Amino acid sequence: MSETRVVVQGTPNPNAAKFVIEQGRLGDESRSYFGAHEAAEDPLATRLFGIEGVRALLMVDNFITVTKTENVSWDDMVREIVSVIEEELEERGA
């Protein structure tokens, strides 16, 4: 099985970043979550909302757009977000 690799890309919104999954997929349906309560049935989204500063998620095919709160720096979040995505996809074998 190949190792999951996630590439981080900026967006026009400084409080949003795109996490592109180079190996594996998230599924065919797009999903948007605006709080942990909406993500209760999605293990990856639930874990991402456990990271301080995550405000919203858009999950589509091979990428996740994470929107953060303004009071948290990307420097404090990116490594943890990438780790969660990689771990979750590797556990699924995606």
Side-chain angles (χ1 to χ4, degrees):
M1 178 168 71
S2 61
E3 184 175 312
T4 302
R5 182 165 177 236
V6 178
V7 176
V8 183
Q9 299 176 351
T11 71
N13 177 351
N15 290 319
K18 187 175 179 180
F19 293 78
V20 179
I21 300 154
E22 291 193 337
Q23 299 290 328
R25 294 187 56 213
L26 298 170
D28 293 327
E29 294 183 26
S30 66
R31 307 179 301 284
S32 296
Y33 302 110
F34 298 95
H37 63 284
E38 293 180 7
E41 300 296 318
D42 187 321
L44 174 55
T46 298
R47 287 183 67 187
L48 289 170
F49 275 112
I51 298 170
E52 182 181 353
V54 172
R55 187 176 59 130
L57 302 169
L58 169 64
M59 305 170 82
V60 180
D61 189 31
N62 71 331
F63 72 88
I64 301 170
T65 300
V66 177
T67 304
K68 70 173 189 67
T69 57
E70 291 186 21
N71 62 328
V72 178
S73 165
W74 282 117
D75 293 338
D76 298 333
M77 301 175 68
V78 168
R79 186 174 299 146
E80 189 173 1
I81 291 169
V82 169
S83 291
V84 165
I85 294 169
E86 290 174 344
E87 289 169 11
E88 188 69 30
L89 291 178
E90 287 171 12
E91 287 174 13
R92 289 185 201 180

